[in-house]
Amino acid sequence: MARGDNRSTAGRPAAPARGGLLSGSADVVAPRLVLIVAVSALTVLGLVMVYSSSTIEAMSEGSSPTSYVTKQAAIALVSIAMCAFIARFIPYYIWLEHRWLNAFWMVIMLLLLGTALVGVVGLGAKRWIVIGPVNFQPSEFAKVAIVMMMARLLADYRNGEYSFEQFALRIGVLVVLPVGIILALQSDLGTTIICAVGILGVLWIGEVPVRLFFAIVIVVGLLGIVAIALAGYRGSRFAFLNPYADPYGSGYQIIHSFYAFGEGGLFGVGLGNSREKYLYLPEAETDFIFAIIGEEMGFAGAVFVIILFSAVLYAGLKIARNAPDLFGAMIAGGCTLMLVFQAFLNIGCVIGVFPTTGKPLPFISSGGSAMIGAYLLVGIVLSVSLASGDDSGVYDQRRANLRVVRAERGSLDEPPRRSSSRTRPQPMSGAPARSSLPRRSMQPNRSSRRYR
Protein backbone atom coordinates (compact mmCIF):
# COMPACT_ATOMS: atom_id res chain seq x y z
CA MET A 1 0.00 0.00 0.00
CA ALA A 2 1.30 3.43 -0.87
CA ARG A 3 2.24 5.68 2.00
CA GLY A 4 -0.49 8.18 1.21
CA ASP A 5 -3.25 5.58 0.74
CA ASN A 6 -5.61 5.69 3.73
CA ARG A 7 -7.82 2.81 2.69
CA SER A 8 -8.11 -0.29 4.85
CA THR A 9 -7.69 -3.80 3.50
CA ALA A 10 -10.19 -6.65 3.83
CA GLY A 11 -12.65 -4.28 5.48
CA ARG A 12 -10.47 -3.83 8.54
CA PRO A 13 -8.84 -0.66 9.83
CA ALA A 14 -5.08 -0.92 9.69
CA ALA A 15 -2.78 0.54 12.31
CA PRO A 16 -2.29 4.26 11.79
CA ALA A 17 0.97 5.41 10.26
CA ARG A 18 1.97 7.30 13.34
CA GLY A 19 5.18 9.21 13.77
CA GLY A 20 7.87 8.70 16.37
CA LEU A 21 8.03 9.69 20.00
CA LEU A 22 8.43 13.36 19.08
CA SER A 23 5.45 13.53 16.73
CA GLY A 24 2.74 16.01 17.66
CA SER A 25 2.52 19.35 19.39
CA ALA A 26 4.42 20.23 22.55
CA ASP A 27 1.32 19.61 24.67
CA VAL A 28 1.17 16.07 23.32
CA VAL A 29 4.89 15.22 23.28
CA ALA A 30 5.80 16.60 26.73
CA PRO A 31 3.58 14.29 28.84
CA ARG A 32 4.57 11.34 26.66
CA LEU A 33 8.25 11.94 27.38
CA VAL A 34 7.56 12.58 31.07
CA LEU A 35 5.77 9.22 31.28
CA ILE A 36 8.59 7.36 29.53
CA VAL A 37 11.33 8.98 31.63
CA ALA A 38 9.47 8.43 34.93
CA VAL A 39 8.69 4.78 34.19
CA SER A 40 12.26 4.15 33.02
CA ALA A 41 13.69 5.70 36.19
CA LEU A 42 11.36 3.61 38.37
CA THR A 43 12.37 0.44 36.53
CA VAL A 44 16.11 1.10 36.88
CA LEU A 45 15.68 1.98 40.55
CA GLY A 46 13.62 -1.18 40.99
CA LEU A 47 16.37 -3.39 39.57
CA VAL A 48 18.92 -1.79 41.88
CA MET A 49 16.71 -2.23 44.92
CA VAL A 50 15.67 -5.80 44.03
CA TYR A 51 19.36 -6.73 43.90
CA SER A 52 20.10 -4.98 47.18
CA SER A 53 17.10 -6.35 49.08
CA SER A 54 17.13 -9.93 47.75
CA THR A 55 20.75 -11.07 48.08
CA ILE A 56 20.38 -12.42 51.63
CA GLU A 57 17.06 -14.07 50.82
CA ALA A 58 18.56 -15.70 47.73
CA MET A 59 21.57 -17.07 49.62
CA SER A 60 19.32 -18.38 52.39
CA GLU A 61 17.50 -20.37 49.71
CA GLY A 62 20.77 -21.76 48.37
CA SER A 63 20.63 -19.66 45.19
CA SER A 64 23.03 -17.19 43.63
CA PRO A 65 22.93 -13.69 45.19
CA THR A 66 22.00 -12.33 41.75
CA SER A 67 19.23 -14.85 41.02
CA TYR A 68 16.37 -12.47 41.86
CA VAL A 69 17.69 -9.49 39.95
CA THR A 70 18.65 -11.59 36.91
CA LYS A 71 15.12 -12.89 36.64
CA GLN A 72 13.68 -9.44 37.24
CA ALA A 73 15.90 -7.88 34.55
CA ALA A 74 14.80 -10.50 32.00
CA ILE A 75 11.14 -9.84 32.82
CA ALA A 76 11.72 -6.09 32.58
CA LEU A 77 13.20 -6.45 29.07
CA VAL A 78 10.25 -8.57 27.92
CA SER A 79 7.81 -6.08 29.49
CA ILE A 80 9.46 -3.08 27.81
CA ALA A 81 9.39 -4.82 24.42
CA MET A 82 5.72 -5.68 24.89
CA CYS A 83 4.96 -2.08 25.92
CA ALA A 84 6.72 -0.66 22.85
CA PHE A 85 4.90 -3.09 20.53
CA ILE A 86 1.49 -2.20 21.99
CA ALA A 87 2.18 1.52 21.85
CA ARG A 88 3.45 1.46 18.28
CA PHE A 89 1.47 -1.25 16.50
CA ILE A 90 -1.80 -1.76 18.38
CA PRO A 91 -3.94 1.38 18.07
CA TYR A 92 -6.08 1.73 21.16
CA TYR A 93 -9.33 2.15 19.25
CA ILE A 94 -9.33 -1.46 18.02
CA TRP A 95 -10.64 -2.34 21.49
CA LEU A 96 -13.92 -0.75 20.41
CA GLU A 97 -14.22 -3.77 18.13
CA HIS A 98 -16.21 -6.17 20.27
CA ARG A 99 -14.45 -9.32 19.04
CA TRP A 100 -10.99 -8.24 20.24
CA LEU A 101 -11.95 -7.08 23.69
CA ASN A 102 -14.46 -9.89 24.16
CA ALA A 103 -11.77 -12.43 23.30
CA PHE A 104 -9.37 -10.83 25.78
CA TRP A 105 -12.11 -10.80 28.42
CA MET A 106 -12.89 -14.49 27.83
CA VAL A 107 -9.25 -15.49 28.20
CA ILE A 108 -9.05 -13.56 31.47
CA MET A 109 -12.23 -15.18 32.78
CA LEU A 110 -10.92 -18.65 31.95
CA LEU A 111 -7.67 -17.86 33.76
CA LEU A 112 -9.52 -16.55 36.83
CA LEU A 113 -11.72 -19.65 36.97
CA GLY A 114 -8.69 -21.84 36.28
CA THR A 115 -6.92 -20.25 39.22
CA ALA A 116 -9.78 -21.27 41.50
CA LEU A 117 -9.65 -24.84 40.19
CA VAL A 118 -5.95 -25.60 39.71
CA GLY A 119 -4.22 -22.55 41.16
CA VAL A 120 -1.34 -22.67 43.60
CA VAL A 121 -1.69 -21.37 47.14
CA GLY A 122 0.86 -18.80 48.23
CA LEU A 123 0.87 -16.73 51.42
CA GLY A 124 -2.54 -18.12 52.33
CA ALA A 125 -4.35 -17.34 49.05
CA LYS A 126 -4.86 -19.21 45.77
CA ARG A 127 -3.92 -16.55 43.21
CA TRP A 128 -1.23 -18.13 41.02
CA ILE A 129 -1.21 -20.51 38.06
CA VAL A 130 1.88 -22.61 37.39
CA ILE A 131 2.64 -23.83 33.87
CA GLY A 132 5.98 -25.60 33.78
CA PRO A 133 8.68 -23.20 34.99
CA VAL A 134 6.35 -20.20 34.67
CA ASN A 135 4.00 -19.00 37.39
CA PHE A 136 1.83 -15.93 37.04
CA GLN A 137 -1.05 -14.11 38.68
CA PRO A 138 -4.03 -13.69 36.29
CA SER A 139 -5.60 -10.91 38.37
CA GLU A 140 -2.76 -8.57 37.29
CA PHE A 141 -4.04 -8.84 33.71
CA ALA A 142 -7.70 -8.93 34.72
CA LYS A 143 -7.35 -5.31 35.93
CA VAL A 144 -6.57 -4.25 32.35
CA ALA A 145 -9.49 -6.17 30.83
CA ILE A 146 -11.94 -4.80 33.40
CA VAL A 147 -11.08 -1.13 32.94
CA MET A 148 -11.04 -1.49 29.12
CA MET A 149 -14.43 -3.21 29.16
CA MET A 150 -15.91 -0.49 31.36
CA ALA A 151 -14.65 2.18 28.97
CA ARG A 152 -16.03 0.41 25.91
CA LEU A 153 -19.44 -0.18 27.48
CA LEU A 154 -19.73 3.47 28.46
CA ALA A 155 -18.60 4.59 25.00
CA ASP A 156 -21.17 2.32 23.34
CA TYR A 157 -23.93 3.49 25.67
CA ARG A 158 -23.20 7.13 25.00
CA ASN A 159 -23.51 6.39 21.29
CA GLY A 160 -26.99 4.97 21.80
CA GLU A 161 -26.16 1.30 21.24
CA TYR A 162 -27.84 0.15 24.47
CA SER A 163 -30.76 1.18 26.61
CA PHE A 164 -29.90 1.99 30.21
CA GLU A 165 -31.19 -1.42 31.32
CA GLN A 166 -29.01 -3.21 28.76
CA PHE A 167 -26.06 -1.06 29.79
CA ALA A 168 -26.52 -1.95 33.47
CA LEU A 169 -26.89 -5.66 32.65
CA ARG A 170 -23.67 -5.67 30.61
CA ILE A 171 -21.80 -3.92 33.41
CA GLY A 172 -23.02 -6.57 35.83
CA VAL A 173 -21.85 -9.45 33.65
CA LEU A 174 -18.72 -8.04 32.01
CA VAL A 175 -17.35 -5.80 34.79
CA VAL A 176 -18.82 -6.65 38.19
CA LEU A 177 -18.67 -10.43 37.71
CA PRO A 178 -14.89 -10.68 37.16
CA VAL A 179 -14.28 -8.28 40.05
CA GLY A 180 -16.51 -10.47 42.22
CA ILE A 181 -14.55 -13.57 41.19
CA ILE A 182 -11.28 -11.90 42.21
CA LEU A 183 -12.75 -11.01 45.60
CA ALA A 184 -14.69 -14.20 46.33
CA LEU A 185 -12.49 -16.93 44.83
CA GLN A 186 -9.06 -15.37 45.33
CA SER A 187 -9.83 -13.36 48.47
CA ASP A 188 -7.91 -10.48 46.89
CA LEU A 189 -9.37 -7.31 48.37
CA GLY A 190 -6.36 -5.25 47.27
CA THR A 191 -6.84 -6.01 43.57
CA THR A 192 -10.60 -5.51 43.98
CA ILE A 193 -10.02 -2.00 45.34
CA ILE A 194 -7.59 -1.20 42.54
CA CYS A 195 -10.14 -2.37 39.93
CA ALA A 196 -12.81 -0.25 41.62
CA VAL A 197 -10.58 2.83 41.35
CA GLY A 198 -10.02 2.16 37.63
CA ILE A 199 -13.76 1.74 37.04
CA LEU A 200 -14.60 4.91 38.95
CA GLY A 201 -11.90 6.74 36.98
CA VAL A 202 -13.53 5.70 33.72
CA LEU A 203 -16.96 6.80 34.93
CA TRP A 204 -15.63 10.17 36.10
CA ILE A 205 -13.74 10.92 32.89
CA GLY A 206 -16.73 9.62 30.90
CA GLU A 207 -18.77 12.34 32.65
CA VAL A 208 -21.39 10.19 34.28
CA PRO A 209 -23.84 12.49 36.10
CA VAL A 210 -22.36 13.61 39.41
CA ARG A 211 -25.19 12.33 41.60
CA LEU A 212 -25.03 8.89 40.00
CA PHE A 213 -21.24 8.84 40.29
CA PHE A 214 -21.24 9.59 44.01
CA ALA A 215 -24.04 7.08 44.57
CA ILE A 216 -21.80 4.44 42.96
CA VAL A 217 -18.89 5.54 45.18
CA ILE A 218 -21.06 5.12 48.29
CA VAL A 219 -22.22 1.66 47.18
CA VAL A 220 -18.64 0.58 46.49
CA GLY A 221 -17.54 1.85 49.90
CA LEU A 222 -20.34 -0.02 51.67
CA LEU A 223 -19.51 -3.22 49.80
CA GLY A 224 -15.89 -2.83 50.88
CA ILE A 225 -16.92 -2.55 54.52
CA VAL A 226 -19.09 -5.66 54.18
CA ALA A 227 -16.22 -7.58 52.54
CA ILE A 228 -13.95 -6.73 55.47
CA ALA A 229 -16.58 -7.56 58.07
CA LEU A 230 -17.44 -10.95 56.56
CA ALA A 231 -13.82 -12.10 56.44
CA GLY A 232 -12.53 -12.18 59.99
CA TYR A 233 -8.88 -12.54 58.99
CA ARG A 234 -8.99 -9.15 57.27
CA GLY A 235 -9.63 -7.55 60.65
CA SER A 236 -6.12 -8.57 61.74
CA ARG A 237 -4.71 -6.33 59.02
CA PHE A 238 -5.88 -3.33 60.98
CA ALA A 239 -2.97 -4.03 63.28
CA PHE A 240 -1.33 -1.04 61.58
CA LEU A 241 -3.42 1.15 63.92
CA ASN A 242 -1.43 -0.19 66.88
CA PRO A 243 1.19 -2.72 65.74
CA TYR A 244 2.89 -2.78 69.13
CA ALA A 245 -0.17 -4.48 70.62
CA ASP A 246 1.08 -7.70 68.95
CA PRO A 247 4.76 -7.04 68.17
CA TYR A 248 5.62 -10.68 67.34
CA GLY A 249 2.42 -11.44 65.46
CA SER A 250 0.22 -9.21 63.32
CA GLY A 251 2.33 -6.13 64.06
CA TYR A 252 5.74 -7.68 63.35
CA GLN A 253 6.09 -6.69 59.70
CA ILE A 254 4.98 -3.08 60.06
CA ILE A 255 7.19 -2.61 63.15
CA HIS A 256 10.27 -3.71 61.20
CA SER A 257 9.20 -1.43 58.37
CA PHE A 258 9.27 1.42 60.89
CA TYR A 259 12.73 0.30 62.00
CA ALA A 260 13.91 0.51 58.40
CA PHE A 261 12.69 4.07 57.95
CA GLY A 262 14.09 5.04 61.34
CA GLU A 263 17.54 3.70 60.42
CA GLY A 264 17.44 5.48 57.07
CA GLY A 265 17.03 8.98 58.41
CA LEU A 266 17.35 11.76 55.86
CA PHE A 267 19.82 10.29 53.36
CA GLY A 268 19.91 6.62 54.25
CA VAL A 269 22.58 4.14 55.34
CA GLY A 270 23.78 3.64 51.76
CA LEU A 271 22.91 1.18 48.98
CA GLY A 272 23.44 -2.40 50.07
CA ASN A 273 23.77 -1.52 53.77
CA SER A 274 20.26 -2.37 54.92
CA ARG A 275 19.97 -4.37 58.14
CA GLU A 276 16.31 -5.25 57.83
CA LYS A 277 16.94 -7.24 54.64
CA TYR A 278 18.80 -9.82 56.78
CA LEU A 279 15.53 -11.74 57.06
CA TYR A 280 14.11 -9.40 59.69
CA LEU A 281 11.60 -7.71 57.37
CA PRO A 282 9.34 -10.24 55.56
CA GLU A 283 8.81 -9.68 51.82
CA ALA A 284 11.64 -7.13 51.71
CA GLU A 285 12.13 -7.52 47.95
CA THR A 286 8.42 -7.49 47.05
CA ASP A 287 5.60 -5.88 49.04
CA PHE A 288 7.85 -4.00 51.48
CA ILE A 289 10.66 -2.94 49.16
CA PHE A 290 9.74 0.71 49.77
CA ALA A 291 10.91 0.25 53.37
CA ILE A 292 14.33 -0.89 52.12
CA ILE A 293 14.43 2.19 49.87
CA GLY A 294 13.71 4.33 52.93
CA GLU A 295 16.46 2.58 54.89
CA GLU A 296 19.20 2.66 52.23
CA MET A 297 18.29 5.93 50.49
CA GLY A 298 16.60 7.69 53.36
CA PHE A 299 13.75 10.15 53.31
CA ALA A 300 15.22 11.76 50.20
CA GLY A 301 15.06 8.48 48.27
CA ALA A 302 11.50 7.78 49.40
CA VAL A 303 10.37 11.23 48.31
CA PHE A 304 12.11 10.75 44.96
CA VAL A 305 10.02 7.62 44.35
CA ILE A 306 6.84 9.51 45.24
CA ILE A 307 7.81 12.31 42.83
CA LEU A 308 8.32 9.78 40.03
CA PHE A 309 4.88 8.26 40.55
CA SER A 310 3.37 11.73 40.74
CA ALA A 311 4.99 12.42 37.36
CA VAL A 312 3.37 9.26 35.98
CA LEU A 313 0.00 10.49 37.28
CA TYR A 314 0.45 13.94 35.74
CA ALA A 315 1.60 12.57 32.38
CA GLY A 316 -1.13 9.94 32.16
CA LEU A 317 -3.94 12.38 32.94
CA LYS A 318 -2.47 14.92 30.53
CA ILE A 319 -2.46 12.25 27.82
CA ALA A 320 -6.08 11.48 28.67
CA ARG A 321 -6.97 15.15 28.35
CA ASN A 322 -5.32 15.34 24.91
CA ALA A 323 -6.80 12.04 23.67
CA PRO A 324 -8.36 12.08 20.18
CA ASP A 325 -11.73 10.89 21.51
CA LEU A 326 -13.62 10.07 24.67
CA PHE A 327 -12.82 6.36 24.55
CA GLY A 328 -9.09 7.15 24.43
CA ALA A 329 -9.49 9.58 27.31
CA MET A 330 -11.31 7.01 29.41
CA ILE A 331 -8.82 4.18 28.95
CA ALA A 332 -5.76 6.42 29.34
CA GLY A 333 -7.17 8.01 32.49
CA GLY A 334 -8.49 4.75 33.93
CA CYS A 335 -5.23 2.88 33.36
CA THR A 336 -3.20 5.73 34.84
CA LEU A 337 -5.34 6.07 37.96
CA MET A 338 -5.29 2.33 38.53
CA LEU A 339 -1.51 2.12 38.18
CA VAL A 340 -0.68 5.10 40.39
CA PHE A 341 -3.30 4.21 42.99
CA GLN A 342 -1.65 0.81 43.41
CA ALA A 343 1.69 2.54 43.96
CA PHE A 344 0.36 4.84 46.65
CA LEU A 345 -1.64 2.00 48.21
CA ASN A 346 1.59 0.02 48.58
CA ILE A 347 3.44 3.04 49.98
CA GLY A 348 0.60 3.71 52.42
CA CYS A 349 0.72 0.11 53.67
CA VAL A 350 4.49 0.23 54.17
CA ILE A 351 4.46 3.49 56.13
CA GLY A 352 1.54 2.31 58.26
CA VAL A 353 -1.38 4.45 57.15
CA PHE A 354 -3.28 1.63 55.34
CA PRO A 355 -3.79 -2.02 56.27
CA THR A 356 -1.49 -4.45 54.49
CA THR A 357 -2.95 -5.56 51.16
CA GLY A 358 -0.09 -7.56 49.66
CA LYS A 359 0.06 -5.50 46.47
CA PRO A 360 3.53 -4.84 44.99
CA LEU A 361 5.03 -1.47 44.15
CA PRO A 362 4.76 -1.12 40.34
CA PHE A 363 8.05 -1.26 38.39
CA ILE A 364 10.05 -1.65 41.62
CA SER A 365 8.92 -4.76 43.53
CA SER A 366 10.22 -8.15 42.48
CA GLY A 367 7.61 -10.10 40.55
CA GLY A 368 6.91 -10.97 36.93
CA SER A 369 3.13 -10.63 36.72
CA ALA A 370 3.20 -7.23 38.39
CA MET A 371 5.91 -5.93 36.03
CA ILE A 372 4.19 -7.18 32.89
CA GLY A 373 0.80 -5.89 34.04
CA ALA A 374 2.21 -2.43 34.81
CA TYR A 375 3.91 -2.15 31.42
CA LEU A 376 0.73 -3.35 29.71
CA LEU A 377 -1.07 -0.37 31.23
CA VAL A 378 1.73 1.99 30.15
CA GLY A 379 1.65 0.60 26.60
CA ILE A 380 -2.09 1.33 26.31
CA VAL A 381 -1.61 4.88 27.60
CA LEU A 382 1.25 5.47 25.13
CA SER A 383 -0.90 4.12 22.32
CA VAL A 384 -3.43 6.86 23.08
CA SER A 385 -0.63 9.43 23.19
CA LEU A 386 0.82 8.38 19.82
CA ALA A 387 -2.64 8.61 18.24
CA SER A 388 -2.97 12.09 19.73
CA GLY A 389 0.23 13.08 17.94
CA ASP A 390 -0.90 11.87 14.52
CA ASP A 391 -1.33 15.07 12.49
CA SER A 392 -1.34 13.36 9.10
CA GLY A 393 -5.08 12.72 8.95
CA VAL A 394 -4.51 8.97 8.78
CA TYR A 395 -5.87 8.48 12.28
CA ASP A 396 -9.19 10.18 11.46
CA GLN A 397 -9.63 8.11 8.30
CA ARG A 398 -8.82 4.80 10.01
CA ARG A 399 -11.06 5.68 12.95
CA ALA A 400 -13.88 6.47 10.53
CA ASN A 401 -13.30 3.14 8.78
CA LEU A 402 -13.71 1.36 12.10
CA ARG A 403 -17.06 3.07 12.68
CA VAL A 404 -18.24 1.98 9.22
CA VAL A 405 -17.12 -1.61 9.78
CA ARG A 406 -19.06 -1.76 13.04
CA ALA A 407 -22.17 -0.25 11.45
CA GLU A 408 -22.08 -2.69 8.52
CA ARG A 409 -22.32 -5.61 10.91
CA GLY A 410 -25.88 -4.62 11.80
CA SER A 411 -29.02 -5.44 9.84
CA LEU A 412 -28.83 -4.57 6.14
CA ASP A 413 -32.41 -3.37 6.32
CA GLU A 414 -31.56 -0.75 8.93
CA PRO A 415 -29.43 2.35 8.51
CA PRO A 416 -26.10 2.31 10.40
CA ARG A 417 -26.60 3.58 13.95
CA ARG A 418 -23.21 5.26 14.12
CA SER A 419 -22.76 6.60 10.62
CA SER A 420 -22.06 10.06 11.94
CA SER A 421 -19.50 11.12 14.49
CA ARG A 422 -21.83 13.91 15.57
CA THR A 423 -24.49 11.71 17.14
CA ARG A 424 -25.70 13.32 20.32
CA PRO A 425 -24.76 11.19 23.35
CA GLN A 426 -27.64 9.72 25.28
CA PRO A 427 -28.06 10.94 28.86
CA MET A 428 -28.09 8.41 31.67
CA SER A 429 -31.54 7.09 32.45
CA GLY A 430 -33.26 9.11 35.14
CA ALA A 431 -30.72 11.91 34.96
CA PRO A 432 -31.46 15.37 33.56
CA ALA A 433 -29.73 16.40 30.38
CA ARG A 434 -26.55 18.34 31.08
CA SER A 435 -25.14 21.01 28.88
CA SER A 436 -21.63 20.02 29.95
CA LEU A 437 -21.87 16.67 28.17
CA PRO A 438 -19.81 16.56 24.97
CA ARG A 439 -21.82 17.22 21.85
CA ARG A 440 -19.94 14.70 19.74
CA SER A 441 -20.38 11.02 20.52
CA MET A 442 -16.75 10.22 21.20
CA GLN A 443 -15.12 13.64 21.54
CA PRO A 444 -13.87 14.55 25.02
CA ASN A 445 -15.06 17.78 26.57
CA ARG A 446 -11.92 19.92 26.38
CA SER A 447 -13.29 22.41 28.87
CA SER A 448 -13.85 19.75 31.53
CA ARG A 449 -11.60 19.98 34.56
CA ARG A 450 -12.35 16.50 35.81
CA TYR A 451 -9.14 14.90 34.68
CA ARG A 452 -6.72 17.81 34.53
Side-chain angles (χ1 to χ4, degrees):
M1 184 182 298
R3 182 176 179 83
D5 190 354
N6 293 336
R7 294 172 296 176
S8 61
T9 60
R12 299 179 183 179
R18 292 173 288 182
L21 292 177
L22 301 180
S23 62
S25 64
D27 287 342
V28 171
V29 173
R32 183 188 307 159
L33 295 180
V34 169
L35 178 62
I36 293 172
V37 170
V39 169
S40 300
L42 287 167
T43 304
V44 172
L45 176 62
L47 293 176
V48 172
M49 295 311 303
V50 165
Y51 174 68
S52 176
S53 61
S54 66
T55 51
I56 306 302
E57 177 75 20
M59 288 189 290
S60 72
E61 297 172 350
S63 303
S64 166
T66 61
S67 59
Y68 277 80
V69 71
T70 301
K71 179 180 177 181
Q72 189 73 359
I75 294 172
L77 290 176
V78 172
S79 301
I80 292 170
M82 175 203 66
C83 174
F85 180 83
I86 292 173
R88 179 66 179 174
F89 299 109
I90 303 183
Y92 74 89
Y93 56 78
I94 71 165
W95 299 110
L96 280 171
E97 273 284 295
H98 288 201
R99 56 178 176 171
W100 296 113
L101 188 52
N102 288 350
F104 183 34
W105 184 89
M106 282 297 295
V107 170
I108 293 299
M109 286 294 294
L110 290 174
L111 289 174
L112 291 177
L113 294 175
T115 303
L117 295 175
V118 298
V120 175
V121 177
L123 299 176
K126 186 184 289 188
R127 300 173 185 172
W128 286 265
I129 290 180
V130 177
I131 302 177
V134 178
N135 64 85
F136 61 95
Q137 193 171 351
S139 61
E140 290 292 336
F141 313 114
K143 295 185 298 187
V144 183
I146 288 168
V147 74
M148 298 272 284
M149 183 63 74
M150 184 68 247
R152 195 201 74 191
L153 291 175
L154 183 54
D156 287 346
Y157 173 72
R158 293 179 68 91
N159 286 330
E161 296 194 11
Y162 313 129
S163 67
F164 183 79
E165 291 75 17
Q166 293 172 326
F167 176 58
L169 177 62
R170 282 170 168 79
I171 288 179
V173 174
L174 301 177
V175 177
V176 177
L177 177 61
V179 174
I181 289 176
I182 292 172
L183 179 61
L185 300 185
Q186 298 187 14
S187 189
D188 194 346
L189 183 60
T191 298
T192 302
I193 295 173
I194 293 169
C195 291
V197 169
I199 293 168
L200 292 174
V202 168
L203 293 175
W204 181 256
I205 294 173
E207 298 197 334
V208 168
V210 174
R211 285 183 295 180
L212 177 59
F213 176 82
F214 282 107
I216 294 172
V217 171
I218 293 172
V219 171
V220 170
L222 292 175
L223 291 176
I225 294 173
V226 171
I228 294 173
L230 293 180
Y233 69 91
R234 291 194 179 113
S236 64
R237 296 183 179 179
F238 283 86
F240 76 98
L241 297 174
N242 183 18
Y244 296 97
D246 188 12
Y248 297 103
S250 59
Y252 179 86
Q253 191 174 29
I254 190 63
I255 287 174
H256 280 271
S257 179
F258 292 162
Y259 288 165
F261 285 110
E263 287 287 336
L266 185 58
F267 296 108
V269 297
L271 288 174
N273 294 328
S274 167
R275 297 177 183 177
E276 291 300 321
K277 71 181 181 182
Y278 282 84
L279 307 184
Y280 292 110
L281 177 63
E283 310 301 328
E285 76 283 356
T286 54
D287 301 350
F288 274 71
I289 197 170
F290 187 70
I292 304 300
I293 293 175
E295 183 179 9
E296 296 190 350
M297 302 176 65
F299 178 77
V303 169
F304 178 65
V305 172
I306 293 173
I307 290 173
L308 289 177
F309 278 113
S310 298
V312 172
L313 178 63
Y314 162 80
L317 294 183
K318 193 72 172 178
I319 289 171
R321 177 170 173 75
N322 294 328
D325 54 28
L326 187 57
F327 179 67
M330 287 190 292
I331 63 172
C335 289
T336 299
L337 290 172
M338 196 160 51
L339 179 63
V340 177
F341 175 79
Q342 177 173 331
F344 287 117
L345 177 64
N346 173 275
I347 292 172
C349 294
V350 173
I351 65 176
V353 298
F354 296 143
T356 303
T357 60
K359 304 315 298 177
L361 188 60
F363 309 111
I364 296 180
S365 292
S366 175
S369 298
M371 178 72 77
I372 294 173
Y375 267 103
L376 180 57
L377 293 171
V378 173
I380 293 170
V381 175
L382 287 176
S383 178
V384 175
S385 178
L386 288 175
S388 304
D390 175 32
D391 299 325
S392 64
V394 174
Y395 167 81
D396 293 332
Q397 181 62 42
R398 301 292 165 82
R399 187 65 182 82
N401 289 341
L402 180 59
R403 287 199 297 269
V404 172
V405 169
R406 296 186 68 193
E408 288 176 349
R409 288 180 180 166
S411 171
L412 296 179
D413 298 329
E414 297 178 359
R417 300 183 65 182
R418 297 181 60 199
S419 59
S420 171
S421 63
R422 296 183 179 275
T423 303
R424 178 100 179 180
Q426 300 295 320
M428 293 290 179
S429 176
R434 296 165 56 215
S435 59
S436 60
L437 289 175
R439 296 188 63 84
R440 286 182 286 178
S441 61
M442 293 299 295
Q443 182 66 29
N445 184 356
R446 301 298 185 186
S447 64
S448 173
R449 296 182 179 272
R450 284 192 177 182
Y451 52 96
R452 281 189 178 180

